[in-house]
């Protein structure tokens, strides 16, 4: 058993939890303010979830389509998020995206350029103009490498293989976190003036997911809930239209939107290009929620491919074009299926891809309702509303990672006294040891059972009956968790990682279903077969919080468009008639 009384202590001005793009950008900003910064993450620092963001990053340069502007980027994001996104966050992202893209390119992201030296830009679904800058189909990896290079220049310490179990909170003020090393079990008490959560989402909770093993289990959201934060828009889970079907071990692996952006066509099992029946204007470049629903509908109505998906075909493009524009996808199918996409179509189906909900944050400084605690990236909710536009997530991590780092540094500098609680530290350390016990249940089967429950009862389309069944089954698994055996023999701490992942998956899965039950309409990624229409009275946000160890829900009204932004949207509406239905 891990010795409860033995631990290390690390002290910093700013502690960043999560070593992906948002975390690294936050750390760079805080360090540039002259403060001591410490980054911890559970995955290897060169392989966080950011590397899976493939297709590109949005910024309204207008390099190809001259009429593009931040106003149009704002309007696309707001309307295609079905008008429940935080307008201040959207406006800030749209305005700051060009500067963020220029900066990360200078740091080494090396985006594709036109002959005149300006950034090349490709189409992504539901964008009025081509505004997605890219590095082939490995843009996230290019951005991450540039950030790692910059953190090295700033001498920022990054410690991976650290699993954070609790935030340290006293009197609604956060003063640090507790972690253990997943390789050797050594505990660390991290004391800091300010803490930034950049831990990703919870989409691994679904059986078919674009996330990898032991990531995106909702652990950051769970940390926030336990600390006293609220979660917002948890029912809004994006199902990407195109995930791999085979091989089974890679089910759900992302097939980037760049394939459709570069001319890929969706074909059903009958050989029909079916998007004409769902969005005849935008076809494959419609919003992700609409393309996912189209794919789902073709599959469940019996027009699927042999393996229960649909076909995504780009073989009509020249091989040199494919190898230049989407080299990673070409290699992915060669290596995993021995399929040459320059000659044959890919079989794909919807896959759980992105948590649009997350920790509620103040849109001005990215703080939470717990003093000293900030959040950025996928773990934070509010930006995307009911549907995330492809390419906005990489803009989000850079822009809001920077903002959170700046504001956390300012908070640290302005702090006069930092209270710390020995009892809070001891309780958090105790909770780790209390997880290690004998029992008759094993974690892995329960994890698999939960992922099937979320996929079956809270998937692409849901209704009151399926959601209630899912909630009952989650509660049943929670009762069995008490009997789980967790061993740490032979310096193997994977059991401990697994049970903590399951705890987080259960509570974030439950939060998702509770929110989905309360939103009695279909809006964007939230599709209900018993409430098929979008209800103007549901232009609200649902928030989840813990009270007496039980999840509670509340409804809040949105920050509506002010006069200036309302006029902006109305003017663009006149130009872009395809959005009229969303503004009726």
């Amino acid at each position: 058993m891990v010795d409860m009384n033995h631990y290390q202590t690390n002290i910093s001005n700013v502690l960043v939890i999560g070593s992906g793009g948002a975390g690294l950008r936050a750390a760079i900003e805080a360090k540039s303010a002259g403060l001591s910064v410490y980054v911890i993450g559970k995955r290897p620092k060169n392989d966080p979830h950011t590397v899976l963001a493939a297709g590109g990053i949005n910024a309204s340069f207008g390099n190809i389509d001259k009429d593009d502007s931040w106003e149009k980027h704002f309007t696309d994001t707001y309307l295609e998020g079905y008008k429940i996104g935080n307008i201040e966050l959207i406006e800030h992202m749209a305005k700051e995206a060009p500067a963020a893209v220029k900066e990360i390119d200078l740091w080494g992201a090396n985006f594709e350029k036109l002959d005149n030296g300006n950034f090349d830009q490709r189409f992504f679904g539901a964008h009025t103009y081509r505004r997605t800058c890219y590095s082939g189909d490995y843009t996230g990896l290019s951005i991450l490498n540039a950030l790692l290079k910059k953190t090295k220049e700033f001498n920022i310490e990054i410690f991976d293989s650290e699993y954070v179990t609790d935030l340290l909170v006293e009197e609604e003020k956060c003063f640090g976190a507790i972690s253990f090393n997943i390789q050797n079990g050594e505990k660390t008490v991290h004391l800091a003036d300010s803490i930034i959560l950049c831990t990703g989402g919870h989409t691994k909770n679904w059986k078919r997911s674009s996330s990898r093993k032991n990531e995106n289990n909702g652990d950051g959201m769970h940390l926030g809930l336990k600390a006293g934060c609220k979660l917002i828009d948890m029912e809004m889970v994006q199902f990407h239209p195109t995930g791999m079907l085979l091989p089974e071990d890679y089910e759900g692996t992302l097939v980037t939107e760049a394939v459709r952006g570069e001319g890929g066509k969706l074909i059903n099992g009958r050989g029909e290009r079916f998007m004409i029946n769902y969005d005849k204007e935008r076809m494959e470049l419609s919003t992700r929620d609409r393309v996912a629903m189209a794919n789902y509908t073709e599959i469940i109505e019996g027009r699927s491919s042999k393996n229960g998906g649909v076909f995504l075909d780009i073989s009509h493009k020249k091989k040199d074009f494919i190898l230049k524009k989407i080299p990673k996808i070409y290699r992915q199918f060669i290596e995993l299926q021995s399929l040459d996409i320059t000659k044959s179509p890919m079989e794909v189906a919807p896959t759980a891809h992105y948590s649009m909900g997350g920790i509620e944050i103040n849109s001005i400084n990215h703080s939470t309702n717990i003093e000293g605690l900030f959040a950025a990236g996928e773990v934070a909710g509010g930006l995307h509303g009911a549907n995330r536009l492809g390419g906005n997530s990489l803009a989000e991590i850079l822009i809001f990672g920077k903002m959170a780092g700046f504001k956390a540094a300012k908070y640290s500098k302005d702090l006069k006294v930092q209270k710390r609680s020995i009892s809070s530290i001891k309780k958090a350390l105790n909770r780790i040891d209390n997880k290690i016990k004998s029992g008759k249940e094993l974690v892995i089967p329960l994890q698999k059972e939960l992922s099937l429950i979320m996929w079956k009862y809270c998937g692409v389309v849901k209704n009151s009956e399926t959601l209630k069944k899912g909630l009952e089954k989650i509660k049943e698994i929670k009762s069995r968790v008490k009997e789980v055996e967790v061993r740490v023999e032979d310096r193997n701490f994977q059991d401990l990682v697994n049970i903590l992942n399951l705890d987080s998956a259960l509570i974030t899965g439950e939060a998702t279903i509770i929110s989905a039950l309360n939103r009695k309409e279909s809006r964007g990624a939230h599709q209900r077969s018993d409430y098929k229409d979008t209800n103007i009275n549901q232009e609200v946000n649902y928030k989840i919080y813990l009270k007496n160890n039980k999840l509670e829900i509340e409804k809040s009204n949105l920050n509506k468009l002010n006069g200036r932004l309302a006029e902006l949207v109305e003017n663009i509406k006149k130009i872009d008639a395809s959005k009229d239905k969303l503004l009726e």
Side-chain angles (χ1 to χ4, degrees):
M1 182 176 288
V2 182
D3 182 2
M4 179 187 69
N5 297 309
H6 176 70
Y7 60 87
Q8 295 186 89
T9 301
N10 285 316
I11 302 174
S12 61
N13 296 123
V14 179
L15 172 67
V16 180
I17 302 172
S19 57
L24 295 184
R25 187 62 189 86
I28 291 165
E29 196 65 20
K31 187 64 180 279
S32 68
L35 301 183
S36 62
V37 181
Y38 194 69
V39 181
I40 55 177
K42 66 180 181 181
R43 290 193 67 87
K45 64 183 180 182
N46 61 351
D47 191 35
H49 192 69
T50 304
V51 303
L52 299 185
I57 178 171
N58 297 327
S60 55
F61 290 111
N63 292 339
I64 297 179
D65 298 318
K66 305 300 181 185
D67 290 332
D68 200 11
S69 64
W70 78 261
E71 291 93 342
K72 290 182 175 130
H73 189 185
F74 169 90
T75 302
D76 284 348
T77 302
Y78 172 69
L79 293 180
E80 303 302 353
Y82 293 82
K83 300 194 285 186
I84 65 166
N86 184 302
I87 59 172
E88 291 172 335
L89 292 176
I90 298 170
E91 182 178 8
H92 190 80
M93 179 202 66
K95 285 180 174 178
E96 295 298 319
V101 169
K102 286 180 180 178
E103 178 182 69
I104 198 67
D105 187 66
L106 286 173
W107 290 359
N110 194 28
F111 297 134
E112 291 289 331
K113 308 294 193 304
L114 299 167
D115 291 341
N116 62 7
N118 292 333
F119 297 113
D120 193 7
Q121 297 186 277
R122 62 173 35 142
F123 268 124
F124 253 35
H127 290 280
T128 307
Y129 298 109
R130 287 169 284 189
R131 65 169 64 102
T132 306
C133 306
Y134 63 95
S135 297
D137 58 352
Y138 48 88
T139 311
L141 178 60
S142 295
I143 288 173
L144 180 80
N145 288 337
L147 290 170
L148 286 171
K149 178 183 175 184
K150 184 60 68 171
T151 57
K152 191 172 182 180
E153 291 175 11
F154 274 84
N155 294 315
I156 296 172
E157 291 187 288
I158 304 171
F159 294 86
D160 49 24
S161 300
E162 291 291 324
Y163 195 110
V164 177
T165 60
D166 279 285
L167 296 174
L168 297 172
V169 178
E170 183 71 13
E171 297 178 355
E172 296 188 345
K173 294 183 179 180
C174 190
F175 64 92
I178 298 285
S179 74
F180 72 92
N181 186 282
I182 62 178
Q183 305 298 331
N184 59 30
E186 190 169 59
K187 298 175 184 176
T188 303
V189 175
H190 306 273
L191 302 176
D193 299 328
S194 58
I195 295 86
I196 310 174
L197 279 175
C198 303
T199 50
H202 73 311
T203 50
K204 191 58 181 174
N205 293 1
W206 281 260
K207 177 180 181 289
R208 187 177 292 160
S209 169
S210 62
S211 297
R212 300 167 297 188
K213 185 177 180 182
N214 291 326
E215 69 180 11
N216 280 6
N217 300 103
D219 42 322
M221 297 173 184
H222 190 192
L223 288 172
L225 271 176
K226 290 188 292 181
C229 298
K230 294 180 180 180
L231 303 181
I232 187 172
D233 298 336
M234 287 298 288
E235 74 277 17
M236 296 303 176
V237 176
Q238 183 169 74
F239 291 87
H240 196 287
T242 54
M244 293 182 74
L245 284 169
L246 299 169
E248 186 176 351
D249 287 348
Y250 293 89
E251 183 182 17
T253 299
L254 184 66
V255 180
T256 173
E257 190 167 313
V259 177
R260 287 181 286 124
E262 298 295 351
K265 300 175 183 177
L266 287 166
I267 311 292
N268 64 21
R270 297 176 181 175
E272 302 162 335
R273 190 178 177 189
F274 56 84
M275 278 307 300
I276 194 170
N277 300 319
Y278 300 91
D279 191 338
K280 64 181 180 180
E281 297 297 329
R282 296 181 291 188
M283 296 291 284
E284 286 83 4
L285 293 176
S286 184
T287 57
R288 284 184 175 179
D289 61 293
R290 292 182 185 184
V291 182
M293 272 299 296
N295 290 357
Y296 176 82
T297 302
E298 293 297 305
I299 293 166
I300 65 167
E301 292 186 356
R303 297 183 292 276
S304 69
S305 62
K306 180 178 66 175
N307 293 305
V310 295
F311 295 108
L312 176 59
D313 190 9
I314 199 164
S315 62
H316 52 281
K317 295 285 187 177
K318 293 181 179 180
K319 184 170 184 176
D320 288 347
F321 176 90
I322 291 172
L323 293 180
K324 179 182 179 181
K325 297 290 187 177
I326 49 171
K328 186 179 174 186
I329 291 297
Y330 172 80
R331 185 166 182 166
Q332 181 174 305
F333 276 87
I334 287 286
E335 292 179 346
L336 297 180
Q337 291 186 4
S338 298
L339 179 77
D340 185 347
I341 67 171
T342 68
K343 299 177 180 178
S344 303
M346 302 158 260
E347 279 188 277
V348 296
T351 180
H353 179 58
Y354 198 89
S355 305
M356 293 174 291
I359 295 172
E360 183 184 22
I361 47 94
N362 181 310
S363 57
I364 303 301
N365 61 12
H366 266 247
S367 65
T368 70
N369 59 302
I370 300 302
E371 192 173 332
L373 180 63
F374 300 77
E378 192 176 354
V379 75
L383 173 65
H384 306 291
N387 176 60
R388 178 177 72 83
L389 294 188
N392 273 354
S393 60
L394 288 176
E396 174 186 21
I397 62 173
L398 293 179
I399 294 163
F400 296 125
K402 177 180 180 177
M403 178 191 284
F406 178 80
K407 296 296 185 179
K410 185 179 186 304
Y411 176 88
S412 178
K413 285 182 175 182
D414 292 344
L415 195 63
K416 305 300 181 187
V417 177
Q418 176 66 296
K419 291 184 178 180
R420 293 168 181 163
S421 168
I422 296 299
S423 64
S424 294
I425 294 171
K426 287 184 176 179
K427 286 177 183 177
L429 291 168
N430 267 323
R431 279 193 286 270
I432 298 175
D433 279 355
N434 290 340
K435 287 292 179 185
I436 303 167
K437 56 186 175 62
S438 59
K440 62 182 181 181
E441 294 272 8
L442 296 176
V443 177
I444 298 300
L446 293 182
Q447 285 179 324
K448 290 182 177 179
E449 197 171 328
L450 175 63
S451 69
L452 281 169
I453 289 167
M454 294 303 293
W455 185 257
K456 183 175 181 180
Y457 299 107
C458 190
V460 179
V461 179
K462 64 277 288 179
N463 59 50
S464 179
E465 182 181 353
T466 62
L467 290 167
K468 287 177 180 177
K469 282 183 180 179
L471 205 55
E472 290 173 8
K473 290 181 178 295
I474 284 178
K475 290 177 179 177
E476 179 189 336
I477 292 180
K478 287 172 75 174
S479 68
R480 291 162 60 192
V481 166
K482 299 171 185 176
E483 301 296 325
V484 164
E485 180 168 88
V486 179
R487 296 184 181 183
V488 293
E489 296 175 352
D490 302 321
R491 303 186 72 77
N492 184 344
F493 296 89
Q494 193 57 49
D495 264 10
L496 186 55
V497 170
N498 290 341
I499 187 61
L500 291 167
N501 281 344
L502 179 59
D503 286 344
S504 296
L506 283 167
I507 198 163
T508 53
E510 184 180 359
T512 301
I513 292 180
I514 290 171
S515 292
L517 272 167
N518 278 269
R519 186 172 287 280
K520 294 179 173 64
E521 65 161 352
S522 290
R523 182 180 295 268
H526 174 75
Q527 293 292 313
R528 288 189 55 161
S529 59
D530 50 349
Y531 294 96
K532 294 183 178 181
D533 296 328
T534 301
N535 184 348
I536 192 170
N537 295 320
Q538 287 286 295
E539 285 181 12
V540 297
N541 297 117
Y542 287 97
K543 300 177 184 179
I544 296 282
Y545 59 96
L546 270 176
K547 185 177 181 180
N548 300 322
N549 291 318
K550 182 182 177 182
L551 290 177
E552 301 284 351
I553 189 166
E554 66 182 25
K555 181 170 66 174
S556 70
N557 293 322
L558 295 163
N559 54 340
K560 291 290 187 179
L561 290 175
N562 60 34
R564 177 180 59 84
L565 290 174
E567 183 180 357
L568 180 157
V569 171
E570 284 299 317
N571 287 337
I572 292 177
K573 167 191 169 184
K574 293 174 185 177
I575 298 170
D576 186 6
S578 67
K579 294 186 173 67
D580 277 355
K581 290 183 180 179
L582 295 176
L583 286 159
E584 289 174 353

